[in-house]
Amino acid sequence: MTTMTKAEFDATVGRSRLPLDAATREELFGVLGKLDAMVERVKRPKPREAESALIFVPE
Amino acid sequence: MSGPFTIAEAAKLMAAKKLSPVELTQSCLDRIKALDPALNSFLLVTEERALTDARAAEARKMRGDSKGVLDGIPIGHKDIYNTAGIRTTAHSRLLIDNVPTEDARSVAMLTEAGTVMMGKLATHEFALGGPSFDLPWPPARNPWNTEHFTAGSSSGTGAAVAAGLILGGTGSDTGGSIRGPAALCGIAGIKPTYGLISRVGILPLAATLDHAGPMAWTVQDCALLLQAMAGHDASDPASAAHPVPNYAAALGEGVKGLRIGVIRHFHETDNRASPATLAGIDTAIDVWRSGGAEIVDIELSPLMDYHACGFFILLAEAYAVHEPWLTSRYYEYGELFRDRVAMAAFTSAPDYVQAIRRRRELCLEMAAAMANVDVVVTAAQQGEAPLIADVPKWVMLDKANFTMPFNVTGYPAMSVCSGFGAGGLPVAIQIAAKPFQEGTLLRVAHAYEMATTWRAKRPAMTEVTDQKSAFA
């Protein structure tokens, strides 16, 4: 079950400009909880070593 | 002439002038006509081009000017590889009339090596949306049982190679799209190190995860194709200026002295593989141990952590590529592609940043875990191919796949047939090595393949009446 409300979902669809019909909206809203669970897996605290960085090899 | 041949077998026969490129190509064309109506592996058969290529190869051989082992070998290209003057559709209605003016870099390299272009092969739409039944062409079917799935997205290459319609072909792999079809179709497929093969001219799915690579019946054939495809390309920002060794040279050296890590929790608990798949892994371990390798268990983060990280990055990057068309031509895509990628709209930029950070963590973890081993092994797929009609639309949200860890980290990995399950369809092991250690990876895979009898068995297909031809 997603934590996003239906109103928040509809607002997000509007912001995305995706021309979703009612049936597609219903289906995507129904599976959002599974996506949320995956997002949670990547959100836990990380060490400094995990920061993105530009790495240069000196010539 | 009997067959189907492997690339190495055909090359040997052609070198001895016991097989001609034209004869071999015609035989493949005949086989496509007879069998492909049931497989749908080709979106387009370029018969005229194939015969022209074959005649040129034959002329070179007759005057003693062969280009090497791939000269005169019939192959096909996944239909996300650009081919100059030849339709390249990504299996999508949106590109149904797309005719590129230039070859993808790797297509050009394989052509330069003398291969014969047989045509363009089925894919999941834009390498993600499949198996789909609402596209201009039907999905490819598994030659071991056409009611079953090929996996994707390099579905046409998997099916065509397994059925002996071509001797090898190209695939692309963003989360397992080479290794998945190779596994379920019972062939070999290698996703090399990120940056080893140029992606220039290949339609992108997710730039930081996309890899190009070859698929063929044997590990040896993969090595021969990889040799022609690998190399630095300054036009691809990910391309590595790394020396390309002779991949076939070390194939027969065995595994004595190598250390092989088993990521047991991936296939025993995180996503428990089928009994046949587990048996295949155990057999491989026995083969390598008896060949003198040391076997050790290694532990990584849960498979789902790798899957979630990779899937999340894939979604966001694919959405960025397709956003203009998703917002203007949404319903021209097939349902599976459009709805899967649309999920990215419900995630945030901070979520993407967190996924990138998690990726860095996982890369460091993989590097540490592999510091004292040469290769690691796990399953390539959970088990045999499911019925094509039973593949869930949201499977990627439900189950962690075994292949994604090596897209997230960019490490080279390959799928090798390891037997057959209770349903008579193939199962496969997956082997991965450290960056740019494709030679070791192929050597370990080849040692296993040579110790087993799985390569002696081809799908038993019968000729079908032409229903819909992909011939141009």
Side-chain angles (χ1 to χ4, degrees):
Chain A
M1 195 70 176
T2 181
T3 54
M4 191 181 274
T5 66
K6 190 66 168 57
E8 288 168 340
F9 174 84
D10 287 337
T12 306
V13 172
R15 186 167 153 268
S16 75
R17 297 181 290 116
L18 292 175
L20 306 183
D21 62 24
T24 306
R25 284 176 185 238
E26 192 70 25
E27 183 179 2
L28 297 189
F29 186 66
V31 296
L32 262 190
K34 293 180 177 181
L35 186 68
D36 289 352
M38 294 181 88
V39 172
E40 283 308 310
R41 280 189 175 265
V42 302
K43 282 174 79 171
R44 66 175 178 74
K46 301 169 192 67
R48 193 174 61 179
E49 291 76 15
E51 293 297 344
S52 300
L54 294 172
I55 299 167
F56 302 102
V57 178
E59 292 182 18
Chain B
M1 193 189 90
S2 59
F5 295 113
T6 67
I7 292 173
E9 288 167 349
K12 194 173 173 184
L13 289 169
M14 286 196 278
K17 297 205 165 36
K18 292 179 178 171
L19 177 67
S20 89
V22 173
E23 185 185 16
L24 177 60
T25 298
Q26 190 58 59
S27 156
C28 288
L29 289 168
D30 292 345
R31 207 168 161 83
I32 294 168
K33 282 176 185 161
L35 301 179
D36 204 48
L39 294 176
N40 312 317
S41 67
F42 275 85
L43 300 188
L44 181 70
V45 182
T46 52
E47 183 174 17
E48 199 175 313
R49 163 69 184 267
L51 290 169
T52 300
D53 286 352
R55 288 188 199 105
E58 190 152 305
R60 285 191 294 272
K61 288 175 185 292
M62 292 305 285
R63 61 174 187 262
D65 190 24
S66 172
K67 291 185 168 187
V69 289
L70 296 182
D71 204 2
I73 298 295
I75 67 166
H77 295 294
K78 182 176 183 177
D79 207 25
I80 65 167
Y81 281 66
N82 282 343
T83 42
I86 297 168
R87 191 183 72 192
T88 300
T89 68
H91 212 130
S92 179
R93 189 171 288 105
L94 284 107
L95 292 181
I96 200 164
D97 296 318
N98 177 49
V99 180
T101 55
E102 289 184 20
D103 283 336
R105 179 70 187 132
S106 46
V107 168
M109 292 168 86
L110 285 163
T111 301
E112 181 53 35
T115 59
V116 172
M117 190 193 294
M118 300 294 288
K120 304 304 290 292
L121 297 162
T123 168
H124 288 178
E125 187 176 25
F126 287 106
L128 183 68
S132 294
F133 296 87
D134 58 352
L135 302 177
W137 304 270
R141 288 173 177 270
N142 196 315
W144 295 93
N145 182 333
T146 56
E147 293 302 312
H148 286 251
F149 188 36
T150 54
S153 62
S154 308
S155 49
T157 316
V161 169
L165 311 185
I166 48 178
L167 279 63
T170 51
S172 67
D173 192 316
T174 305
S177 289
I178 286 173
R179 292 159 289 159
L184 295 194
C185 295
I187 66 169
I190 181 168
K191 178 206 80 66
T193 308
Y194 185 75
L196 184 70
I197 295 177
S198 169
R199 289 96 41 89
V200 169
I202 301 173
L203 296 167
L205 177 60
T208 72
L209 298 164
D210 287 344
H211 300 67
M215 301 164 72
W217 184 248
T218 66
V219 173
Q220 183 182 18
D221 286 359
C222 283
L224 297 173
L225 290 167
L226 181 64
Q227 197 72 51
M229 297 173 77
H232 182 237
D233 178 3
S235 304
D236 180 349
S239 183
H242 194 275
V244 177
N246 184 334
Y247 295 118
L251 283 182
E253 289 182 7
V255 296
K256 189 171 185 180
L258 296 182
R259 280 171 64 89
I260 297 175
V262 184
I263 319 173
R264 205 170 288 283
H265 66 92
F266 274 13
H267 53 263
E268 289 190 354
T269 53
D270 295 357
N271 182 5
R272 188 165 177 81
S274 71
T277 305
L278 294 173
I281 295 169
D282 288 343
T283 302
I285 290 169
D286 289 343
V287 164
W288 293 323
R289 186 180 280 124
S290 66
E294 184 185 353
I295 310 296
V296 296
D297 281 1
I298 70 169
E299 190 161 340
L300 299 167
S301 291
L303 182 59
M304 188 48 115
D305 279 21
Y306 282 91
H307 177 82
C309 178
F311 179 68
F312 198 77
I313 292 169
L314 187 161
L315 269 192
E317 293 184 359
Y319 190 93
V321 170
H322 287 274
E323 185 176 21
W325 283 349
L326 285 169
T327 51
S328 61
R329 302 173 68 181
Y330 190 81
Y331 288 100
E332 291 180 53
Y333 287 100
E335 177 186 343
L336 295 193
F337 181 88
R338 69 187 184 230
D339 287 356
R340 286 172 179 168
V341 177
M343 295 303 286
F346 308 105
T347 61
S348 69
D351 292 342
Y352 179 73
V353 171
Q354 295 290 14
I356 294 294
R357 296 177 71 212
R358 180 67 178 132
R359 181 184 199 173
R360 176 122 177 99
E361 247 187 336
L362 294 171
C363 287
L364 292 169
E365 172 188 88
M366 183 74 81
M370 288 190 68
N372 295 314
V373 296
D374 296 289
V375 299
V376 292
V377 63
T378 184
Q381 290 275 301
Q382 193 273 337
E384 296 171 76
L387 288 167
I388 195 168
D390 287 351
V391 178
K393 178 174 178 177
W394 299 108
V395 62
M396 297 162 183
L397 292 172
D398 289 326
K399 289 259 176 143
N401 79 35
F402 293 100
T403 44
M404 186 63 93
F406 307 107
N407 296 85
V408 167
T409 58
Y411 281 32
M414 78 178 302
S415 173
V416 184
C417 182
S418 60
F420 297 85
L425 287 97
V427 293
I429 58 171
Q430 180 181 208
I431 311 163
K434 291 181 245 194
F436 301 107
Q437 295 303 309
E438 279 79 4
T440 305
L441 172 60
L442 290 159
R443 180 178 149 199
V444 172
H446 181 70
Y448 167 73
E449 195 175 77
M450 295 305 287
T452 61
T453 58
W454 311 125
R455 293 304 73 199
K457 186 177 177 185
R458 287 269 190 176
M461 291 199 69
T462 52
E463 189 169 329
V464 291
T465 309
D466 197 351
Q467 293 148 357
K468 184 187 173 198
S469 174
F471 277 74

